[in-house]
Amino acid sequence: MQVSVRDNNVDQALRALKKKMQREGIYREMKLRRFYEKPSERRAREHATAIRRARKLERKRAERDGTR
């Protein structure tokens, strides 16, 4: 990941870097890797997130189609 510093404006470059890292999900990954996660816990977490994603998609579809 690369951010260029223009006119010695390090604060602006740092903000851009943080935004890029946030978009890429690096902060989330760092948080997850802070402690060891058992494979069974990892599967359960990923399954729960998949269910949340599917429900959210269904809500959006239902809202778009006007069935609710």
Side-chain angles (χ1 to χ4, degrees):
M1 192 166 298
Q2 186 175 10
V3 176
S4 60
V5 179
R6 296 185 185 136
D7 301 328
N8 288 333
N9 195 345
V10 178
D11 292 330
Q12 184 179 5
L14 194 60
R15 275 198 307 269
L17 177 66
K18 285 181 180 180
K19 189 181 285 188
K20 277 187 176 184
M21 289 174 68
Q22 181 73 31
R23 240 184 272 134
E24 293 290 324
I26 293 175
Y27 287 126
R28 187 180 309 119
E29 187 175 337
M30 285 171 34
K31 182 181 173 189
L32 287 173
R33 289 176 184 244
R34 197 168 287 155
F35 300 104
Y36 178 74
E37 185 177 25
K38 288 171 46 178
S40 59
E41 291 173 349
R42 180 174 158 256
R43 279 192 301 271
R45 178 181 50 80
E46 288 176 350
H47 182 71
T49 56
I51 288 173
R52 267 190 241 111
R53 256 195 326 269
R55 285 181 181 161
K56 184 176 182 180
L57 185 64
E58 272 302 311
R59 278 196 310 269
K60 284 190 174 187
R61 268 197 201 126
E63 184 180 310
R64 186 188 66 212
D65 296 341
T67 56
R68 286 186 182 204

